[in-house]
Structures are given as structure tokens and as C-alpha cells.
Amino acid sequence: MSRLLTTLAFVALVFCASGTRAQTRRPPAPPARPQTPAPKPTPPPTAAAVPVAAKTDDDCGCDAGPLPGLLATVNGVKVMSTDLSADTEQQVRELEQQVVAARKRELDLEINAKLLDAEAKRRGLSADKILADEVVNKAPRPTDAEVQAFYEQHKPQIDAQVGHPATLNEVKEDLIASMLDARQTAAAKGLADRLRAGAQVKIMATDTTPPATAAERARVLATVNGEPLTAGNVADALRPLIAQVQERIYQLRRQDLDTRINDLLLQQEAQKRQVTPDALYKTEVVARVKPVTEADAQTFYNANKASINGDYAAVKDQLMQYLTQQAEQAASGAFAAQLRRTAAVQTFLKSPVAPAYEIATDDQPVRGNQTAKVTLVEFTDFQCPSCAAAQPVLERIIGEYGDRVRLVVRDFPLTQHANAFKAAEAAEAAREQNKYWEYAALLFKQQGAGTNEKEKEAALDVAKLKEYATQLGLDRARFDAALGSARFADKVRRDQQDGLKIGLNHTPSFYVNGRITNDNAYETIKAALDAALGGGAH
């Protein structure tokens, strides 16, 4: 069930394949210092300076396992956990505190979800309909005058966040999103307060410490109109967040470790050549970077103009700096790879194991063997370019694995894609006439025919959805009636809600026997399928 105060897909921004908010209308920010050989290796902090194993007063319950003392060896030189930077471990502690905070408020969210379920049942409406009417529609988009006033009031903070004096046009879309989020949160809180006022809510315990046993999971924390909420309910709801935090912690430490390894390799190579690390870096990296010209910046600007707010003259210097840093990052990475090829490097930092979720596959489009040992579930959006790009990968997978795998597709239309939800309904209407796969393929093909976002969106409007049904020879009267009555809307919403329950925030997302894959590449999905099949090659 959807969370009231986050209001699910209607209120929370769901992100596209990049995993970030829809692009800010400003030039791309320069990347951080490359995680490759640094010109001046940073001396490792002392063990006392970095309390790697330090725990906060509250248990986040997000440990993926103990951090090994020995993280790596580089040509016989040891890299210890105490060599990780203080900044990295501070970020780790901040992430852990986010889980602690989420754990403390999760009980309230679970209570609100139950109240919303009950209210939806009482009114004979879907929970999403109530949220749309009483939260989304009651939080109007800020006017230009309101955005202008907000910008003027908070300009010092905005400039500090952006990193330079920002014009209103440069940050307008972000400000609108922030203001809209605040309004929707206030409206959601108002709805929650009204529902609580008319309900019987009894809280027995506020301690949401992670349950370690079956008995602890069964501990009742609260009752809502007589229905219990247990510590297990809270723990299960937090699984996606904890998995995301574990992965983020691993990536932070892995990046730091890679930097330490590359620093050591740089030092060792400098000693061989009898030069300083700084001199070696300048010779092998800086000197190999081709100077960025104004023509390069102009080409980049032309290719990315849709995501850059401002004319070329205004952003030229920033773009040239960004392109120079990217070029240095690429050269630095190439030199690091060269050093690693002739070095003896072992690493012992293990990535966390992704949780396996129970993802419903009943009444969904299916290809392959219905009783296969391995199920590949895709959450997709018909207006998402990355989803369209993933279709050839899926065709290749199905062709190679045959009856050893079954593919199940579920809908996850993103909120920033205006026609994606209706397109998902249309695909279900086509499935009713046994033409789902043909119709879905046509939707992705037509989406790709657009040359810009407006054309891509228009390719999935209602008139076009009906036109595609005609092209496939569907019974138009039956198809149009299903689409016009929104008969399959609840089914699409169910898919959205199930995706959000497991922490889904981008499309396409692939799950192999309930475990999410790291990316959408053929090699990644193949490796996950082979592992689920027992490691056998085909």
C-alpha cells in the first residue's frame, strides 16, 4: 500500500534511468576530482582519526557485514580499513543516521497507510484517487510571481548550492519542484491529521530497533482500528532503503579504496622512475590532455542545449572548464588502468548482497516457460527512452535462454512522463485481445521516432494509441471502450505501488528471482541469470 506522507507516485518524484531528478536547466556541474592517480598522494589518516567501526547511539540496522581490517594489497603493500578517509567515514555515518531517522518515522507512515486504506475502502475509491484529489490537486504549481519571490528571499542559499551567482532562469525548474514538494507535503500532512482524528490509533511502543528474532518481529508496536502493526511490518518496509544505503556505503568506500590503490601505484611507479608523483602525473596525465577549444565547447553546447539554460556566451567558460576536467579524468583513468595491468592488486572489500523481494507475477504479460526456474521481471515505462533501448537486450536474452527463463513485464510509468500511464493502460487493452507484445513493440518504436521530448510525448497521446490499435487489427470498439473507461488504470497503479514498495525509482529496472540487477547491460543481466541458474553457461 502507498505511504500517505510520501504520497507515492503522485507526489514523490520518480526518476528516469539516470537515477537522478529530471535534469536541472543549467550546464553540467564539473565532476569531482577523478578517482584515479592523484598528483600528490594523500597520506593515510591514523587509526585514531578514522573511527571506522564507530557506532552511533542508535542502531541503523543497515550493516552489510563487518568491514575487513585488510582492504587490499598493492604489490605487497597493505591498505587497511583505517586508511579510508575521514570524509568517507563521515558520509557513511550520515547515511546511517538517515536510516535511523527513517526507522523512527516509519511507524507513523505505516499507520497513515492503514488509515488511507481504510478511508479508500469506506469511500469506494482507490487510495491513489484520494491522494490525487486531496493532495496533488490541492497543491497548485507555484506562479511565476511566487517563484520570483522565493528566489529573491533565498538567493544567498541558492548561489551557495549552485556554486556561483545563479539567475532565476537557471534554477527556476528546481525551485518550482522544491516549492511544489513542500506544498504537497503540507497537504499530505493535513490529510493524515484528518484521518487520524476520526480513527482509533493506539501506540504501544516507539522503539523500532531492528528485530533480530521471529518473536521480536511479531512484537506489536501499534494498532489502527484494532489492526496490529508489528516490528516486522516496519522492518519489511525499510528493506529497500537499507539496501540502497548499503550499496551507497559500499560505493563510497570502494571509490576511496580505489583512490588509495591508485595513489600507491603512482608512488611506486614514481620511485621506479626516480621522479616525484606530482611530476609523473603531469607527464603521464596532464601533458596528454588535448586543450579544449571554443569549438569543442560550442559543439557540446549545441548537443546539450536542451539541458543548458543560458546562451553560449554566458556558459562558455564553465563548459570549457567542465570539458577540460572530463578530459583529464579520462586520461587519469587510462593511466591508472595501465599501472594496474602490471601490478599485483588484491581487494577484499565485498559488495552487499541485494535483497530478494517477492514480486507478484500473476495476471502480467509473460514470455518464455511459465514454470522456468528463473524469472526475469522488468518494470518499464513506454515513454522512457532507456526502456526502448533495453528492448533489443531483452530480445537477445529470450532468444538465448529459451525455456530456461520466463520474462514478466510490469508497468512503472514515471510521473514526469505525461502519457506513460495511459500508454500502459493501452498496452493492457491490447493484451486483452492477445496483442500485448506486438503493441508494446509498436509503442517503443513510435517513441523513438520523435526528435525531441514534445514529439516523443505526442507519439503516445490517446489519438495515437488508438491509431496503433488499428494498425494491429484490434477490435477498435472494444479497445476504445477499455481505454476510455480507464478499466485497466487500477492494474497499472498496482504495478506502480508494488514497484515503490521495493524501492524502485527508475526505469527500466530488472529483477532476477527478486534481486535487482546493477544495470541494464546485456552482460549484467546475463551474469545474474547464469548465477540464478546455478552458474551454468548455455
Side-chain angles (χ1 to χ4, degrees):
M1 183 52 230
S2 51
R3 301 278 190 276
L4 178 58
L5 292 184
T6 53
T7 62
L8 287 184
F10 285 94
V11 175
L13 271 174
V14 183
F15 306 118
C16 201
S18 64
T20 57
R21 177 170 292 211
Q23 274 199 355
T24 304
R25 298 288 180 178
R26 61 174 178 266
R33 183 93 170 91
Q35 299 295 328
T36 44
K40 294 182 180 179
T42 305
T46 63
V50 185
V52 172
K55 284 288 183 183
T56 59
D57 292 338
D58 298 303
D59 183 7
C60 73
C62 51
D63 291 333
L67 182 65
L70 177 63
L71 296 182
T73 59
V74 183
N75 293 325
V77 177
K78 296 179 179 179
V79 181
M80 309 302 293
S81 61
T82 50
D83 294 331
L84 294 178
S85 73
D87 180 64
T88 292
E89 292 310 306
Q90 177 60 33
Q91 291 181 67
V92 168
R93 287 190 289 274
E94 289 172 359
L95 286 167
E96 291 173 342
Q97 281 303 298
Q98 289 177 22
V99 178
V100 170
R103 189 176 296 285
K104 290 179 178 178
R105 64 176 177 262
E106 185 60 34
L107 179 60
D108 273 342
L109 297 179
E110 292 294 325
I111 290 171
N112 291 338
K114 276 193 174 292
L115 291 172
L116 183 60
D117 276 337
E119 182 68 5
K121 184 176 181 180
R122 184 183 71 81
R123 296 194 202 178
L125 300 172
S126 70
D128 293 327
K129 173 63 173 171
I130 295 175
L131 290 175
D133 289 345
E134 301 201 22
V135 176
V136 178
N137 295 339
K138 289 187 177 180
R141 180 182 174 90
T143 65
D144 287 345
E146 289 170 332
V147 176
Q148 176 77 42
F150 186 92
Y151 167 77
E152 293 173 355
Q153 182 181 357
H154 298 91
K155 193 171 191 319
Q157 299 95 311
I158 293 169
D159 291 346
Q161 185 173 1
V162 174
H164 63 270
T167 65
L168 175 58
N169 284 341
E170 192 175 351
V171 296
K172 185 175 181 179
E173 290 304 316
D174 274 357
L175 296 186
I176 291 172
S178 178
M179 295 172 71
L180 193 56
D181 285 349
R183 291 179 177 186
Q184 290 170 338
T185 298
K189 184 180 185 305
L191 175 59
D193 290 344
R194 291 194 298 275
L195 293 179
R196 286 195 179 219
Q200 294 181 346
V201 177
K202 184 178 180 180
I203 298 177
M204 284 81 162
T206 57
D207 175 18
T208 54
T209 302
T213 65
E216 290 178 5
R217 282 183 58 85
R219 183 166 60 98
V220 177
L221 302 179
T223 59
V224 180
N225 294 328
E227 294 186 28
L229 273 173
T230 67
N233 296 140
V234 171
D236 290 345
L238 287 169
R239 284 180 74 200
L241 172 63
I242 289 173
Q244 291 167 8
V245 167
Q246 287 177 342
E247 179 63 23
R248 179 60 182 148
I249 288 173
Y250 167 74
Q251 292 297 337
L252 283 169
R253 286 173 168 163
R254 180 73 205 200
Q255 290 169 7
D256 196 339
L257 178 59
D258 281 343
T259 298
R260 301 286 161 183
I261 291 171
N262 293 339
D263 280 348
L264 279 171
L265 290 171
L266 186 69
Q267 291 179 28
Q268 292 169 358
E269 184 66 17
Q271 288 172 356
K272 287 181 185 178
R273 301 190 192 186
Q274 297 183 335
V275 297
T276 66
D278 186 52
L280 178 59
Y281 186 86
K282 288 179 180 177
T283 299
E284 295 292 342
V285 176
V286 178
R288 297 177 184 273
V289 175
K290 181 182 176 182
V292 174
T293 66
E294 291 190 12
D296 295 329
Q298 181 73 64
T299 299
F300 182 87
Y301 177 83
N302 293 340
N304 297 275
K305 190 173 182 179
S307 61
I308 298 175
N309 207 346
D311 58 27
Y312 171 71
V315 299
K316 180 188 70 175
D317 291 343
Q318 188 180 353
L319 292 180
M320 292 184 70
Q321 181 185 19
Y322 170 70
L323 293 173
T324 298
Q325 290 183 341
Q326 281 211 318
E328 183 176 337
Q329 185 175 14
S332 184
F335 185 49
Q338 175 186 326
L339 294 178
R340 287 193 181 221
R341 281 194 290 270
T342 57
V345 177
Q346 286 184 294
T347 60
F348 308 104
L349 183 64
K350 302 295 184 184
S351 62
V353 177
Y357 298 105
E358 292 185 7
I359 302 175
T361 57
D362 60 296
D363 190 25
Q364 303 294 341
V366 179
R367 288 179 66 183
N369 182 2
Q370 295 277 6
T371 60
K373 174 184 176 182
V374 175
T375 297
L376 172 62
V377 175
E378 178 197 18
F379 282 88
T380 195
D381 173 322
F382 290 111
Q383 200 174 329
C384 172
S386 297
C387 295
Q391 298 314 299
V393 172
L394 289 178
E395 291 298 329
R396 182 177 178 185
I397 289 290
I398 292 298
E400 292 181 2
Y401 283 83
D403 62 2
R404 302 186 349 159
V405 170
R406 69 167 177 156
L407 168 66
V408 178
V409 176
R410 301 199 62 179
D411 295 306
F412 199 76
L414 304 177
T415 55
Q416 66 263 39
H417 291 158
N419 291 335
F421 193 98
K422 206 63 181 178
E425 290 183 58
E428 285 298 323
R431 182 160 78 99
E432 187 179 41
Q433 299 188 42
N434 299 315
K435 289 284 188 177
Y436 174 85
W437 299 105
E438 297 88 344
Y439 193 85
L442 188 54
L443 291 182
F444 284 126
K445 178 181 178 181
Q446 294 300 324
Q447 176 215 116
T451 58
N452 54 53
E453 287 303 317
K454 184 173 290 187
E455 289 183 2
K456 292 178 187 297
E457 182 177 316
L460 296 179
D461 63 23
V462 171
K464 288 291 187 180
L465 295 176
K466 293 178 178 180
E467 180 182 314
Y468 304 148
T470 299
Q471 290 180 28
L472 293 176
L474 299 182
D475 181 333
R476 273 292 302 274
R478 186 179 173 192
F479 179 91
D480 292 1
L483 200 60
S485 65
R487 181 147 56 91
F488 295 105
D490 283 345
K491 184 183 181 310
V492 176
R493 291 192 188 101
R494 176 205 172 194
D495 284 4
Q496 283 183 316
Q497 291 171 3
D498 284 357
L500 288 162
K501 283 180 183 178
I502 59 176
L504 190 62
N505 63 3
H506 66 276
T507 57
S509 286
F510 295 98
Y511 292 79
V512 175
N513 283 358
R515 295 188 193 276
I516 194 167
T517 61
N518 290 331
D519 56 53
N520 310 323
Y522 163 80
E523 293 77 11
T524 302
I525 298 175
K526 178 183 182 302
L529 292 172
D530 286 344
L533 287 165
H538 52 279

